[in-house]
Every structure is written in C-alpha cells, then in structure tokens.
Amino acid sequence: MPQTAATATLSAEADHTDAASVPQSLWRRCKRWALPVLGIVVLGLLLSHAHKVDWAGAWQALQRYPAWLLLGVLALSTASHALYGCFDLLGRLHTRHKLAAWRTWAIAVTSYAFNLNLGSLVGGVAMRARLYARAGLDEATVAQIVGLSLATNWLGYGLLAGGLFAAGAIDPPRQAHLGVVAFRAIGVLMIALAIGYVIACGLTRGKRWTLRGRSVQLPSARLALLQISLSACNWALMGAAMYLLLGQKVPYATTLSVLMAASIVGVFTPIPAGLGVLEAVYLALLSGSVRQGTLMGAVLAYRALYYLLPLGGGVLMYLLLERHASTHPDTAAADAAAT
C-alpha cells in the first residue's frame, strides 16, 4: 500500500512536471519563430516602400560631399570603434584576467565590427567567445566581460537619451500619445536608473552572488562611472558623425535622438546590420525637416563609413588574432593564467 501511494505521488509529480514543461516548450517554439517572422515582416514593409525613396537625389547628395568632410566622419567613426574597444578593458579591470590589454582591446573592436554588420549573436557573443577561448579565458570570465560590455553600452545610452527627454530637447512623437510631462518623466527615470546603478555598485562593493552556479559581483562605483562616461562619449561621437553628414541642418540633439531611436529599433528587429531599419527611422522622423534625397545620402554615407569600412578592418584584425593564437598557443595560455 505505501508503495502504491508512493507510486501515485511520483506519477502525479511527473504529470505536473510534464504539464509545466508544455508552456515552456511552447514559449521556446514561439520565441524561435517570432523574431525571424518579425524581421521578414519589417523587411517586407521596407521593400514595399523602397520605390518611393528618391534614390537619384541620394546619389547626387553623396557626390556633393567634400572629401574633407568624409574624412572627418571616418575619423569620428574610427574614434568611436576605438572607444568601444575600451569597454572590454573595463571588463579586464573588473575580472582581473591577465590577457594582454592590446589583445583584449583588439578582440572587442573586432567583435564590434562584426556585431554591427552581422548581428549581436555573431559578433557580440559568438566571435568574442571564440577569440577569448583561443586566448585561454574560461567561460565564466568571458560571460562577465560580455555582460559588463553590454551594460556599459546601454547605461550611456540611457543617460544620454534620458537627458534629452528630461531637458525637453525632443518633442514626444504624436504616435506615442504621451504628453510633454510624461515624456520628461521617462527621461528622469532613465537618468535615475543610471545613477542607481552607480549607487548600487558603491553599496555592494565586495559582495558576491551565485548565479547558476557561478560567482558574480558588481563592479566598483568608480568603474561604474567609467562605464557611463565611456559609453556616453561613444554615443555622442556617433551622433556627431551623422550631424556632419546632414550638413548641420538638423539640431545635434535631434540628430542624436533619432540615431538612438534607430539603434533601439534595430535591436528588436533581427535583420543583420539593421539593414533598412536605420533608413526607415530617419525617413519617418526627419523627412519633414530635410529633403529625402539629402537624408538618404547622409544615411547611406553613414552606413558606409561606420558599418562597412570598419568591417574590412575587423576582418583583418580577426585574421591577425587567429594567426597570433595559432603561432603563440603556449604564450596565450600563459598570458591568461599568469599572476
């Protein structure tokens, strides 16, 4: 009789587990297909409006750019990519791994170039994981570096976007059905989150938590301030590049805000390099302020100078990193494990 009761109990628990696993399995299937379907829908909508774009005007606008301006924008783009490489140097300080600083920076810059053009899963995660693994770092350390880099990027984003909202530099879009007060309140909240992160880092200094069997801790308050400062400067450089390409016809704050809006839309749209997303957002938000041909010319020039050219450099750096790992396997492991 006790065995029968125990068997019934185990059977009930198994049924409960199976029932609980059904929603999880269904969610995984929906998640697997939802993003690709969304990407196809968005891409279809963009293609359906492609014939309405003034491509001839865009080509003329590209031809009118003086060489010095394009070189200036390329310099800003290069500075932005170089600054992004410092995000992983912050991760190096936090995790205290001993991989050479130049190699850490090179891995971050290479991954960023691939991230922009091929998506975050390829560049931001997979390529970083491979290159760091080749350098001798363990998975837990790589996960902390990637997590800190992502946090750095979006903390600066939140601070700048929040400041623009709170200062009233950007009018809320009509489609959002938000009043000016509500829009400014959102900006204040974004700033508060960034400040709260710094305070949390200061209050929990030295404390560790176990997450999925791995020990993690927040960086120091000083490192948190460096995260926000570097990221904010990086976003400001990106906005400055587009501001120059638009011929300073649109206020810098507006140019930056539209760029940031396009970036967040690109995150939720699973299209490599956000192809078409950047163009669509700029056309939707600035078509009333700048002629379509001029606007599209600026966006195409930005894509070439900030996305495509750095990808060529990223490919070269990737090959050099792979060659270095192959020719110095013992040195790579020693660099990572040395104290």
Side-chain angles (χ1 to χ4, degrees):
M1 187 70 178
Q3 292 181 353
T4 304
T7 303
T9 302
L10 291 174
S11 178
E13 290 178 351
D15 291 341
H16 177 73
T17 302
D18 291 341
S21 65
V22 171
Q24 295 177 359
S25 178
L26 182 61
W27 166 247
R28 283 195 295 267
R29 290 180 183 178
C30 292
K31 186 178 180 181
R32 182 185 301 174
W33 290 103
L35 290 179
V37 169
L38 176 61
I40 292 172
V41 171
V42 172
L43 186 59
L45 290 173
L46 294 173
L47 291 175
S48 67
H49 288 78
H51 67 280
K52 301 178 183 178
V53 176
D54 182 12
W55 297 110
W59 176 245
Q60 292 176 2
L62 285 171
Q63 291 179 312
R64 286 196 295 268
Y65 281 125
W68 64 265
L69 188 143
L70 294 177
L71 288 174
V73 172
L74 180 59
L76 288 173
S77 300
T78 303
S80 173
H81 280 255
L83 189 58
Y84 188 93
C86 296
F87 292 5
D88 279 25
L89 292 180
L90 297 182
R92 181 174 181 267
L93 289 174
H94 178 59
T95 61
R96 297 181 181 179
H97 70 74
K98 300 303 179 180
L99 189 64
W102 71 265
R103 195 169 179 184
T104 302
W105 178 86
I107 289 174
V109 172
T110 302
S111 301
Y112 185 51
F114 280 85
N115 181 14
L116 289 174
N117 290 275
L118 299 178
S120 59
L121 290 180
V122 175
V125 178
M127 179 161 290
R128 256 197 183 102
R130 172 177 173 77
L131 292 174
Y132 277 125
R134 294 273 283 166
L137 297 188
D138 59 88
E139 292 183 3
T141 301
V142 175
Q144 290 185 68
I145 295 171
V146 173
L148 198 73
S149 178
L150 291 173
T152 300
N153 184 60
W154 294 112
L155 282 168
Y157 178 98
L159 183 67
L160 276 184
L164 292 170
F165 294 169
I170 306 171
D171 294 327
R174 296 177 181 178
Q175 297 86 347
H177 302 291
L178 286 175
V180 175
V181 175
F183 208 59
R184 292 192 176 190
I186 293 174
V188 172
L189 177 61
M190 295 173 73
I191 296 174
L193 289 174
I195 296 175
Y197 173 78
V198 177
I199 294 175
C201 289
L203 294 177
T204 61
R205 184 175 183 179
K207 293 184 178 180
R208 290 181 173 273
W209 296 270
T210 300
L211 182 63
R212 294 184 178 181
R214 295 174 179 175
S215 178
V216 296
Q217 70 177 124
L218 290 175
S220 65
R222 180 182 177 184
L223 198 61
L225 288 172
L226 280 174
Q227 285 181 265
I228 295 175
S229 300
L230 288 179
S231 178
C233 289
N234 185 47
W235 283 102
L237 286 172
M238 295 165 65
M242 182 59 80
Y243 178 68
L244 291 179
L245 289 171
L246 287 172
Q248 307 175 35
K249 297 177 181 178
V250 179
Y252 175 73
T254 303
T255 303
L256 178 59
S257 65
V258 176
L259 178 66
M260 298 178 91
S263 298
I264 198 66
V265 172
V267 168
F268 291 102
T269 306
I271 299 175
L275 191 61
V277 176
L278 187 68
E279 292 80 357
V281 173
Y282 267 92
L283 284 174
L285 298 181
L286 292 181
S287 58
S289 304
V290 184
R291 288 190 307 173
Q292 190 183 93
T294 302
L295 187 58
M296 283 302 299
V299 175
L300 292 176
Y302 179 81
R303 183 176 289 282
L305 295 171
Y306 196 87
Y307 284 69
L308 297 180
L309 282 181
L311 178 61
V315 170
L316 178 59
M317 291 182 69
Y318 173 75
L319 295 175
L320 291 175
L321 286 168
E322 286 284 6
R323 181 179 180 182
H324 182 82
S326 298
T327 55
H328 301 81
D330 297 332
T331 302
D335 286 343
T339 56

